[in-house]
Amino acid sequence: MTRPLEARISASALAHNLALARQRAPGARVMAVIKANGYGHGLLRVAQALGAADGFAVLTVDEALALRAQGVAQPILLLEGLFSGTELAAARAHALSLVVHSAAQLEALETCGPGAALEVFCKINTGMNRLGFMPEALPGVVKRLTGAAAVKRITLMTHFACADEAGGIDPQLERFAHATAPYRLPRSLANSAALMSDPRTHGEWVRPGIMLYGVSPFAGRAGVELGLRPAMTLVSRVIAVQAVQAGERVGYGGSFEVPHAMRLGVVACGYADGYPRHAGTGTPALVDGRRTRLIGRVSMDMLCVDLTDLPSAGVGSAVTLWGEGLPVEEVAVAAGTIGYELLCALAPRVGVVDVS
Ligand SMILES: *Cc1c(COP(=O)(O)O)cnc(C)c1O
């Protein structure tokens, strides 16, 4: 028997979530964000399942070329633009769209030789203070981009730091609106949280990521409550059962002391699979579809679950670590992180199975 751990990726869930994004942002074009290997779901698989998107956003030229090689014809945006001037030739040859966020990138577009002109997304730093030109610099930047022969069309763009918080969008939205008011250019602002919560941010292009995978961008609210369907379900099985007595200890460090006689199931899944080691005792899991909890420390290849109240469960019982029936958001909270990180961290050694 092969190791029973697998990640089931649902193409219909991805398509459903894209349709929901469209419905929530009518009139906007949807740029599906599929960086980080499609948030851990597989770049090409996700691009195929989201084939109805109007565009895709990735980080690197390599990802973009893999999409083009698969026949993706929609615009592909490089979210951090070019990392060096040597990437420009590939961007031109494959009609990639570029974020332009720095003076060096601007200069590269001005000084390159003749060739195809590109779509650029001019990134404005409206308060996140990560990437982008300051609003005061925008007039000069737009003027230079307009004059650059390598630039075909300019979209004005920003990214929100706090779109998941009540009122978190307003200060950045105000700065963006003020800085961009003089220009009749397309706009792109919204990540998943802004798309779902604030139509003022929709503009010409919305850029949903996490919601396409069925995960909520809002703390304390799971994707299912927003009408989303989880695209990834991480499943395994119980491979051993232990009956333990009060006073015994479980797992590395003996951190869990058994309070009364218990039955424990050992599950084939550990931190080397991407399951978070910081998920402690009490983290939820499903065994044969019923909710139970982790016991003790997660080890590299295994973790333990409580079977005391599940007498019919045993070796071979199905375990859901997250996904359908158990929001990854809940596991993330138990591990002190967010669903994004768990999905992206799925290890290459975990087998992926396509399901409808
Ligand atoms: C990752 C990313 C997104 C998508 O964000 P989600 O919160 O996953 O929806 C949108 N825009 C930019 C610039 C990003 O880097």
Side-chain angles (χ1 to χ4, degrees):
M1 188 180 123
T2 54
R3 191 162 179 256
L5 179 65
E6 64 187 37
R8 297 181 181 155
I9 310 291
S10 165
S12 67
L14 288 161
H16 166 90
N17 298 332
L18 174 62
L20 191 109
R22 262 197 204 296
Q23 198 186 321
R24 295 298 294 262
R29 302 173 82 192
V30 179
M31 174 87 67
V33 180
I34 58 174
K35 62 194 178 189
N37 195 32
Y39 286 47
H41 296 63
L43 178 74
L44 299 181
R45 169 184 298 108
V46 167
Q48 188 163 19
L50 298 177
D54 302 300
F56 293 100
V58 296
L59 211 58
T60 66
V61 169
D62 283 351
E63 291 168 296
L65 296 192
L67 293 172
R68 284 281 184 257
Q70 187 182 247
V72 168
Q74 292 99 318
I76 301 176
L77 177 64
L78 300 178
L79 283 168
E80 295 176 13
L82 302 180
F83 291 101
S84 79
T86 58
E87 294 179 329
L88 187 61
R92 286 177 135 171
H94 297 277
L96 307 183
S97 305
L98 309 179
V99 163
V100 179
H101 67 78
S102 70
Q105 289 178 337
L106 182 53
E107 228 171 272
L109 286 170
E110 287 179 313
T111 58
C112 63
L118 299 172
E119 300 246 358
V120 302
F121 282 59
C122 176
K123 191 156 187 182
I124 307 163
N125 174 12
T126 54
M128 184 161 185
N129 292 315
R130 202 174 57 174
L131 294 183
F133 299 102
M134 294 312 289
E136 304 77 58
L138 193 61
V141 172
V142 169
K143 194 165 170 210
R144 287 173 63 187
L145 284 172
T146 308
V151 174
K152 180 164 67 180
R153 191 171 13 235
I154 305 166
T155 297
L156 300 173
M157 170 187 179
T158 196
H159 190 54
F160 295 113
C162 307
D164 52 333
E165 295 168 19
I169 282 171
D170 295 347
Q172 285 189 259
L173 185 62
E174 274 163 34
R175 254 178 251 170
F176 185 82
H178 181 74
T180 61
Y183 309 104
R184 291 193 50 199
L185 293 171
R187 287 156 168 71
S188 177
L189 303 86
N191 57 5
S192 297
L195 188 164
M196 294 293 286
S197 68
D198 195 334
R200 295 176 303 166
T201 66
H202 289 173
E204 273 72 17
W205 283 103
V206 290
R207 306 188 307 271
I210 195 70
M211 68 175 292
L212 300 177
Y213 309 96
V215 176
S216 167
F218 307 111
R221 234 185 318 165
V224 283
E225 298 168 50
L226 303 169
L228 300 167
R229 284 176 50 196
M232 180 196 295
T233 300
L234 184 62
V235 296
S236 189
R237 290 190 184 278
V238 173
I239 60 168
V241 172
Q242 301 290 343
V244 291
Q245 303 304 318
E248 292 187 57
R249 289 174 180 276
V250 178
Y252 282 119
S255 64
F256 181 82
E257 187 178 334
V258 178
H260 51 73
M262 293 176 76
R263 273 178 85 238
L264 301 179
V266 180
V267 180
C269 180
Y271 61 77
D273 300 302
Y275 194 91
R277 185 177 170 278
H278 289 102
T281 294
T283 302
L286 304 182
V287 176
D288 290 335
R290 295 182 55 196
R291 230 175 145 91
T292 182
R293 55 175 187 146
L294 261 63
I295 296 290
R297 273 189 205 160
V298 173
S299 51
M300 186 181 287
D301 310 312
M302 286 173 273
L303 54 80
C304 267
V305 293
D306 190 354
L307 301 182
T308 311
D309 295 331
L310 303 174
S312 60
V315 171
S317 284
V319 179
T320 298
L321 284 319
W322 65 61
E324 228 165 294
L326 177 59
V328 70
E329 294 94 318
E330 279 191 50
V331 179
V333 166
T337 183
I338 54 176
Y340 295 75
E341 188 182 18
L342 300 188
L343 298 180
C344 292
L346 185 76
R349 80 178 194 182
V350 178
V352 174
V353 177
D354 291 295
V355 299
S356 64

